[in-house]
Amino acid sequence: MSLAWSASQRYGLTPAPGGLALVQDFLNTIGIHDHPDRLASTTLADDWAADAVRTWSAARGVDAHPPSLNDADLSRLRALRGTISKLVAGEPTDGHGTGPVSASFVLSDAGDVRLEPSGSGWRWLASALWGEILLGQHNGTWRRIKQCHNHHCGSTFYDRSKNNSGVWHNVKTCGNAANLRASRARRRERDRAAARAADCELAVPPEQPVSVVEASPDHRRR
């Protein structure tokens, strides 16, 4: 039975592997089309956090409890989402996110060392998110977290293509729609260019015939 990531699932997205799906799901809390922003209110945010932390805990084999969130936490989380979104898009960031957070190193019973989130409220989630990004950057999976190039979508997906060349979260929907818009735009541009060329032809006055008057024979003999 697959793990449910509620924010990503509503966009029909396959989750990223392991705990990195938490980062993907966090970015997909953004509202697209008729789907609300899951960080718009404490009720929506608490519901999302409960699902996400429970699913993340199962993926990581830990027993974590979702933090309680208030309005101030939501403001911080939305800012954090914007920073991570820029990071995914390759855009410049200020390098600070929403402020420093901490994490702990924990030794499991099996002898594995893992990062464990710490703090409360937004800081706990930020600690978990940055920890997963750090691990993803080291194991090479982070570069496969991408945002759909369809600007009407912008959902975050995990690129499973062999050469990491995917740009659409779904080629049949967003890919075909974007290609169709591009094709229509090119056709409109060709039509405008043809109309401008036709206008230029009409603006040039036709050449006026020039009458040639030959001199009379008497005039030529003089």
Side-chain angles (χ1 to χ4, degrees), residues 1-204:
M1 183 176 180
S2 61
L3 297 174
W5 295 97
S6 61
S8 295
Q9 191 177 60
R10 60 185 178 160
Y11 300 132
L13 297 163
T14 302
L20 191 59
L22 176 65
V23 182
Q24 177 190 8
D25 207 59
F26 176 65
L27 293 176
N28 283 325
T29 57
I30 192 170
I32 302 174
H33 301 311
D34 296 331
H35 297 288
D37 188 328
R38 301 294 295 273
L39 301 181
S41 69
T42 53
T43 300
L44 290 173
D46 282 336
D47 288 344
W48 168 78
D51 289 341
V53 173
R54 181 175 61 250
T55 308
W56 177 80
S57 297
R60 283 300 185 200
V62 298
D63 184 19
H65 300 282
S68 178
L69 302 172
N70 56 37
D71 289 337
D73 290 319
L74 298 192
S75 178
R76 291 280 195 167
L77 287 174
R78 287 192 293 267
L80 177 62
R81 184 177 62 187
T83 296
I84 298 177
S85 180
K86 287 182 178 180
L87 196 62
V88 171
E91 298 176 2
T93 65
D94 57 16
H96 299 294
T98 55
V101 294
S102 59
S104 302
F105 288 104
V106 178
L107 181 64
S108 70
D109 294 337
D112 298 322
V113 178
R114 65 171 182 262
L115 280 171
E116 186 171 277
S118 62
S120 61
W122 75 271
R123 292 183 183 277
W124 189 96
L125 284 170
S127 179
L129 291 163
W130 286 127
E132 291 296 346
I133 291 172
L134 174 64
L135 294 173
Q137 288 176 338
H138 280 270
N139 64 28
T141 54
W142 171 248
R143 64 190 182 92
R144 290 183 175 273
I145 292 289
K146 300 180 179 181
Q147 290 176 340
C148 183
H149 279 208
N150 181 353
H151 299 298
H152 296 280
C153 175
S155 62
T156 301
F157 68 101
Y158 185 79
D159 185 4
R160 285 179 165 78
S161 64
K162 187 174 181 179
N163 58 353
N164 194 29
S165 60
V167 295
W168 318 110
H169 93 274
N170 187 308
V171 175
K172 292 182 179 180
T173 56
C174 285
N176 287 346
N179 290 335
L180 180 60
R181 283 195 298 272
S183 176
R184 288 173 175 171
R186 289 192 296 269
R187 185 167 62 249
R188 286 194 297 268
E189 183 57 34
R190 288 195 299 267
D191 291 343
R192 284 194 291 264
R196 287 194 296 267
D199 290 341
C200 289
E201 290 180 0
L202 293 174
V204 176

